[in-house]
Amino acid sequence: MMSHALKGGTPLLMVLFMLIFPLLTSCSSDSDDEEVVVPTTEVPIEVMSYTTWFEENVAKTRAYGAEGAGAATRAWIPPTGFTQFAEDQKIGVCLTQNDKEPKIGHFFKSSGKWKTNVEMDEVTYYLYGYTPHNTGISCEVTDLSGAQSAFSSGSILKIKNLPAITSEDVCVVIGAKNGKEDYIADADYSVTGLRRGDFAYDAQKVTTSESSNGNYVYMLFDHLYSALRLNMRVDTKYAEIRTIKLKEITLSTQTDDEPASPTKKKTDITIRLNANLDGSDPIESVTYTPTGEETGESSMFHSDEGLELTTKYSEYICHFMPQGVTTLILTSTFDIYDKHDPEHPEGNLIRKNAKATNTLVLGKLLTGQDTARRGSRYTFNITIKPTYLYQMSDPDLADPSMVVE
């Protein structure tokens, strides 16, 4: 399969992190949190993050939740259009300087505090990066010329071995700035110069051998994937005679290449970023390159015991590589119990591991959109209905259908 390029994407999500990095003992860039030796001296930490809404794409019903409405712990003023974003994903970072080799590492949260495995000097870095940084994922960075001489003008960031379908929101840094530590209780304050396209970060020294002052860094992020949000419920009449316990939802995606084929499980992403001082979108292009031969579905929800569904919607969210994707294939696995048996008030298990598959063709469900878009969120409302409402248990005539709105 050929690589795909997405050019000129409008930044639809931007996330702001404020991190204060403490002194660390050394560790490898792919170490798990539990492998990190906690130092005896730590710098206090504050974390705040902010995001704009996804571009919403809802089949038939358009519903906006109350997400992002939570109050922040401090009255810090975010850039215009941002709202709170509460992800604590690891952040892969490339600290670059003109005419020098980049320092590559990550920021991570352990025992409730943010830490970094990158030793910093008191210099201005141009900070490029991505989230999430998980085991097996790596990155490379060059300047736009490939000579490593002008990171101040932008970079080409390549993120390798990302899952094509994931529960985590895959994003790229589109702006960075050092913050300040002069907090005033109940007072508003902002960070001057924090904007898209400006990657300059004035670091404070952080080493594994010396104590240091707080290192405050703010980062803006933009989506690299699309998001899928499922709202699932049981039909009111069916709920009167049956209990549905959801055990798993899996997702696979498909393109309309010739011939039509499922997308690979892994992908590399190359992002070309142009630095600027006017706050415009720094993303020039995003290129997705499928890797490996493995295809198939990925789980977006799993419960061994099963989650009992009700007549009210429950929500399930995942993210997927968007380029060329025209079709989403959902497979739901659930157990079915009957009701109204005095000897078994908890219900009799009458159908174990029943499956229902829904094939969602975007062009048929959405107006003017045949393929998925980076930074868009697609919401589908699914109702589980009976195929034969009054068929008695043991067994039902057939598995119930799942109606997509």
Side-chain angles (χ1 to χ4, degrees):
M1 186 179 296
M2 296 180 65
S3 300
H4 302 280
L6 180 64
K7 295 181 180 292
T10 301
L12 298 172
L13 173 142
M14 289 167 281
V15 182
L16 174 65
F17 278 100
M18 183 185 71
L19 312 177
I20 306 171
F21 298 108
L23 174 68
L24 287 186
T25 56
S26 60
C27 61
S28 69
S29 60
D30 289 326
S31 295
D32 293 329
D33 290 354
E34 61 268 21
E35 296 176 356
V36 176
V37 178
V38 178
T40 56
T41 303
E42 291 186 347
V43 177
I45 182 168
E46 296 281 349
V47 177
M48 293 183 188
S49 52
Y50 295 83
T51 179
T52 60
W53 291 97
F54 275 96
E55 178 183 306
E56 295 287 352
N57 296 270
V58 186
K60 294 199 175 180
T61 28
R62 192 177 181 92
Y64 291 96
E67 56 194 281
T73 56
R74 293 184 183 273
W76 179 75
I77 303 173
T80 302
F82 284 77
T83 187
Q84 190 167 355
F85 179 72
E87 296 288 344
D88 283 338
Q89 301 172 165
K90 289 183 180 180
I91 304 167
V93 293
C94 304
L95 298 175
T96 68
Q97 295 176 268
N98 292 339
D99 299 311
K100 293 187 177 181
E101 284 298 311
K103 294 183 176 182
I104 297 178
H106 61 267
F107 305 151
F108 61 99
K109 200 169 188 180
S110 178
S111 302
K113 296 182 179 181
W114 283 96
K115 300 177 173 66
T116 178
N117 70 333
V118 185
E119 294 196 358
M120 304 181 207
D121 298 315
E122 292 185 358
V123 298
T124 298
Y125 292 106
Y126 301 99
L127 192 157
Y128 301 100
Y130 63 94
T131 188
H133 171 78
N134 291 328
T135 301
I137 298 174
S138 62
C139 73
E140 298 174 355
V141 66
T142 63
D143 71 355
L144 298 177
S145 70
Q148 308 296 66
S149 60
F151 284 106
S152 56
S153 297
S155 74
I156 299 172
L157 181 69
K158 184 173 184 180
I159 313 168
K160 296 182 177 181
N161 204 38
L162 285 158
I165 301 172
T166 175
S167 61
E168 296 176 297
D169 195 1
V170 181
C171 299
V172 63
V173 173
I174 59 168
K177 192 71 177 177
N178 53 292
K180 56 184 179 181
E181 56 183 308
D182 53 336
Y183 293 104
I184 302 173
D186 301 322
D188 287 344
Y189 69 97
S190 59
V191 177
T192 303
L194 177 62
R195 56 180 174 263
R196 295 181 302 174
D198 188 352
F199 298 91
Y201 160 51
D202 296 329
Q204 298 296 315
K205 191 172 185 179
V206 171
T207 73
T208 58
S209 58
E210 304 173 24
S211 61
S212 59
N213 295 323
N215 215 346
Y216 299 73
V217 56
Y218 296 70
M219 288 179 286
L220 303 177
F221 286 87
D222 192 0
H223 286 298
L224 291 174
Y225 277 19
S226 300
L228 171 65
R229 177 169 62 183
L230 299 180
N231 297 319
M232 191 176 293
R233 68 178 179 181
V234 181
D235 175 76
T236 302
K237 290 185 177 180
Y238 195 44
E240 294 175 357
I241 62 171
R242 297 289 181 267
T243 296
I244 304 294
K245 291 188 177 182
L246 181 66
K247 300 178 79 173
E248 188 169 36
I249 304 174
T250 61
L251 171 68
S252 62
T253 58
Q254 184 172 291
T255 68
D256 275 351
D257 294 341
E258 294 296 336
S261 60
T263 53
K264 304 296 185 184
K265 277 198 168 185
K266 296 286 186 177
T267 186
D268 294 344
I269 305 179
T270 303
I271 309 103
R272 189 177 178 91
L273 297 157
N274 289 312
N276 64 75
L277 297 178
D278 60 11
S280 59
D281 181 11
I283 298 178
E284 177 183 329
S285 66
V286 180
T287 302
Y288 303 87
T289 305
T291 62
E293 298 300 323
E294 189 178 8
T295 61
E297 57 192 16
S298 296
S299 180
M300 59 180 291
F301 169 81
H302 181 83
S303 170
D304 290 334
E305 298 78 16
L307 174 67
E308 183 174 338
L309 299 179
T310 69
T311 56
K312 295 182 179 180
Y313 284 118
S314 56
E315 183 181 83
Y316 310 90
I317 294 176
C318 72
H319 304 82
F320 62 94
M321 189 282 296
Q323 184 59 43
V325 170
T326 59
T327 304
L328 309 177
I329 301 172
L330 295 166
T331 301
S332 302
T333 304
F334 44 88
D335 291 342
I336 306 173
Y337 297 79
D338 67 3
K339 291 184 177 180
H340 307 306
D341 184 346
E343 296 183 3
H344 299 281
E346 73 282 0
N348 297 299
L349 177 61
I350 59 174
R351 187 67 60 84
K352 185 177 178 63
N353 293 330
K355 290 184 181 292
T357 298
N358 293 96
T359 300
L360 311 178
V361 180
L362 296 181
K364 294 181 179 180
L365 295 168
L366 302 170
T367 302
Q369 190 170 159
D370 294 327
T371 59
R373 296 174 182 169
R374 176 175 68 85
S376 285
R377 179 166 64 190
Y378 301 91
T379 298
F380 296 96
N381 298 328
I382 295 180
T383 301
I384 300 177
K385 290 187 175 182
T387 51
Y388 183 56
L389 182 60
Y390 297 109
Q391 174 75 21
M392 299 305 291
S393 62
D394 194 26
D396 279 357
L397 180 62
D399 291 339
S401 62
M402 301 185 74
V403 179
V404 178
E405 298 174 358

